[in-house]
Amino acid sequence: MNGAIDLRQFRYFLAVSEELHVGRAAARLHISQPPLSRQIRQLEEQLGVSLFVRTKVGMTLTRAGAALVPEVRLTLAQADKAVAAARAASGAKGGQFVVGYTTVFDRSAIPDVFEPLQKRFPDWRIVSKGKHSINLVRDIKNGAMDVAFIGLHTEARGLEVRTLREEPVIAALPASHPLARKRGLGFDDLRGESIFRFERRLNPGFYDHCQAFFERIGFQPRTVPEPDDHHILLGLIAEGRGIAFISASLQNVKRKGVVFRPLKAEARGLTSGIAVAYAKDNPSPLLARFLEFVGVEAQRKAKSRSAR
């Protein structure tokens, strides 16, 4: 192994391993793509192994890369704990509080508590990270994250989970589609249509929730792969590539060529929403105040929606 490896390289590697896309990882890290690619290549050279297989459509982890991921997570979590312990022992003020949020929902659906929390605790560094819900749960369990806004129905055994918002699933379809002329859609209307569906590995809990509902009503969708980013998804719908079941709050994201239609009464069991998850034994002094802010903001948003 040539040269010393620093924690920044590990953080960069972990972001790419979770996104499997340099562009999305760079956006998440708030850096441009070229330096991120250079850091990954440098890490591979230092380790003497290939960590990713690069293709025209994306990336996959090699066996060496997959083996490195859990060790990197543990290393980063331990480094954060070491810093916190040193600061606590010295009596230093402040610290770091890491908040995650699911990237499946538009940020407008997430309670906006970051600014008031930062004002209340100016000596603390409040960090926000957007990821898939299962990755947020894993980070909390590993000690790399304090709290997160996750999607409802996500498997989060061992954590405290508080539901903040539950809403119906609606259909997003091309404005030019014949079904767009209807005010509401039933699942009989959608038989034979191309339906965007995410991979189960991205959120097994929510996937199984949807699958159980489909089986209960006897609906077998003809599926096409759903992209991770909802802006890309809406773009594909506008192009006529298919129809998607999305959270009702996503209709706030306007996209030319896309219309949103409610699903009829038979779909009442198909819901999505947002919950806040955290470890019960998290010792951070900010956690209780964060949950307080979240509760107040969630109530404010609920009143605002009911007043419309």
Side-chain angles (χ1 to χ4, degrees):
M1 183 169 65
N2 300 319
I5 295 173
D6 60 39
L7 293 178
R8 181 182 59 176
Q9 288 174 295
F10 274 175
R11 295 188 194 281
Y12 286 2
F13 163 74
L14 193 59
V16 177
S17 74
E18 290 172 351
E19 299 292 344
L20 292 178
H21 190 283
V22 174
R24 288 196 297 270
R28 180 171 131 188
L29 294 164
H30 305 291
I31 63 173
S32 59
Q33 292 187 40
L36 177 56
S37 296
R38 284 196 298 272
Q39 288 291 332
I40 296 300
R41 285 196 299 270
Q42 183 179 336
L43 180 60
E44 289 178 319
E45 291 171 2
Q46 289 173 297
L47 294 174
V49 298
S50 294
L51 299 172
F52 298 96
V53 176
R54 296 158 176 86
T55 68
K56 291 182 179 179
V57 295
M59 311 171 74
T60 58
L61 285 162
T62 63
R63 290 183 63 183
L68 183 61
V69 168
E71 301 302 326
V72 164
R73 287 195 185 115
L74 289 173
T75 298
L76 293 175
Q78 189 57 48
D80 289 340
K81 287 180 180 178
V83 171
R87 292 183 65 88
S90 69
K93 293 183 179 180
Q96 178 169 283
F97 189 73
V98 183
V99 182
Y101 60 90
T102 172
T103 52
V104 172
F105 283 79
D106 186 67
R107 279 295 294 269
S108 63
I110 306 294
D112 186 11
V113 297
F114 300 98
E115 185 176 346
L117 190 69
Q118 188 68 78
K119 286 181 178 178
R120 176 65 181 79
F121 296 94
D123 295 327
W124 283 71
R125 180 170 176 249
I126 312 299
V127 179
S128 63
K129 296 182 178 181
K131 299 183 180 184
H132 288 297
S133 290
I134 59 169
N135 294 331
L136 297 172
V137 168
R138 182 200 59 227
D139 285 356
I140 294 172
K141 290 182 176 181
N142 288 342
M145 184 172 286
D146 292 290
V147 65
F149 296 105
I150 65 173
L152 280 187
H153 312 296
T154 300
E155 172 55 52
R157 194 171 304 156
L159 299 181
E160 294 289 313
V161 179
R162 299 184 186 181
T163 298
L164 300 177
R165 173 176 183 169
E166 187 169 14
E167 60 189 32
V169 167
I170 63 173
L173 62 157
S176 58
H177 197 290
L179 290 176
R181 293 194 291 268
K182 292 196 168 194
R183 297 182 63 181
L185 301 177
F187 283 90
D188 284 340
D189 296 323
L190 298 168
R191 296 185 192 278
E193 297 290 340
S194 295
I195 306 293
F196 285 104
R197 189 90 188 271
F198 62 90
E199 295 181 54
R200 185 178 184 277
R201 66 177 179 82
L202 296 176
N203 192 330
F206 186 57
Y207 184 98
D208 292 346
H209 166 72
C210 296
Q211 188 61 34
F213 173 82
F214 293 152
E215 291 175 0
R216 189 163 64 249
I217 66 170
F219 179 66
Q220 295 182 325
R222 181 162 65 90
T223 62
V224 291
E226 181 178 308
D228 293 346
D229 187 283
H230 58 261
H231 293 285
I232 296 175
L233 172 62
L234 294 176
L236 294 176
I237 294 171
E239 292 174 7
R241 304 285 188 89
I243 295 171
F245 297 131
I246 65 170
S247 300
S249 58
L250 272 181
Q251 54 190 321
N252 294 327
V253 182
K254 304 301 181 185
R255 181 62 163 83
K256 185 178 180 181
V258 178
V259 296
F260 304 98
R261 295 291 180 265
L263 297 171
K264 293 181 178 178
E266 62 190 302
R268 283 178 183 163
L270 186 62
T271 62
S272 67
I274 296 174
V276 62
Y278 57 94
K280 192 173 183 178
D281 60 354
N282 186 320
S284 174
L286 268 68
L287 181 59
R289 185 53 60 91
F290 174 86
L291 295 174
E292 179 185 326
F293 285 164
V294 166
V296 171
E297 180 64 11
Q299 288 181 355
R300 188 193 67 77
K301 281 182 175 286
K303 288 180 180 178
S304 176
R305 290 195 300 273
S306 63
R308 291 172 187 171

